[in-house]
């Protein structure tokens, strides 16, 4: 089947990064038309041969845009990767340094007093 799954995912990641680099958030140019003409599922099937790799990208898409890859265009997924959807109303619910930040700060403050799995 060609490359091992992890190497294939790295190559596909580079392909996605290139697509995102060439994308603008504001204008509907030729890049938009091409990317909007295929579902993310179709893009996955065209670029990934290993089913495990396909599953990774499907899970990424579900977590990132809360849609099944067959129901969203590659354009929408690429715009999400580029951050086109950030900076709007939903940003008021984001936490600085990510959602794990409060727990990491609590762990830092507790230090050795923190016991995981304690009863």
């Amino acid at each position: 089947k060609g490359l091992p799954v992890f190497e294939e995912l790295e190559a596909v990641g580079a392909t996605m990064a290139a697509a995102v680099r060439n994308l603008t958030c504001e204008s509907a140019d030729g890049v938009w038309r091409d990317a909007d003409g295929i579902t993310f599922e179709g893009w996955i099937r065209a670029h990934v041969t290993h089913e495990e790799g396909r599953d990774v990208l499907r899970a990424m898409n579900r977590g990132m845009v809360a849609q099944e890859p067959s129901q969203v265009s590659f354009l929408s997924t690429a715009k999400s990767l580029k951050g086109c959807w950030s900076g709007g109303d939903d940003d008021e619910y984001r936490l600085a340094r990510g959602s794990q930040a409060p727990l990491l700060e609590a762990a830092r403050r507790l230090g050795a007093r923190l016991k995981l799995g304690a009863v």
Side-chain angles (χ1 to χ4, degrees), residues 44-65:
I44 290 169
R45 292 189 170 278
H47 291 85
V48 183
T49 58
H50 292 88
E51 195 58 36
E52 297 93 338
R54 290 175 176 175
D55 287 342
V56 167
L57 292 176
R58 289 174 185 131
M60 176 205 73
N61 191 80
R62 289 179 190 119
M64 194 171 59
V65 297

Side-chain angles (χ1 to χ4, degrees), residues 8-9 14-15 18 27 33 35 50 73 77 83 89-90 93 115 117-118:
E8 183 180 49
L9 279 173
T15 301
S27 66
R33 282 188 300 278
H50 292 88
S73 71
T77 300
D89 294 341
D90 63 333
Y93 300 108
K115 304 288 186 217

Side-chain angles (χ1 to χ4, degrees), residues 9-102:
L9 279 173
E10 283 184 353
V12 166
T15 301
M16 289 180 78
V20 168
R21 248 190 325 275
N22 294 326
L23 180 73
T24 62
C25 295
E26 296 82 26
S27 66
D29 56 15
V31 175
W32 270 35
R33 282 188 300 278
D34 294 343
D36 204 31
I38 186 170
T39 64
F40 189 49
E41 179 66 28
W43 189 92
I44 290 169
R45 292 189 170 278
H47 291 85
V48 183
T49 58
H50 292 88
E51 195 58 36
E52 297 93 338
R54 290 175 176 175
D55 287 342
V56 167
L57 292 176
R58 289 174 185 131
M60 176 205 73
N61 191 80
R62 289 179 190 119
M64 194 171 59
V65 297
Q67 292 283 336
E68 287 298 319
S70 62
Q71 301 301 310
V72 66
S73 71
F74 178 69
L75 173 64
S76 184
T77 300
K79 285 178 77 175
S80 184
L81 284 169
K82 188 166 184 91
C84 295
W85 310 128
S86 297
D89 294 341
D90 63 333
D91 274 0
E92 69 182 281
Y93 300 108
R94 295 179 189 236
L95 297 172
R97 299 184 333 225
S99 59
Q100 74 281 9

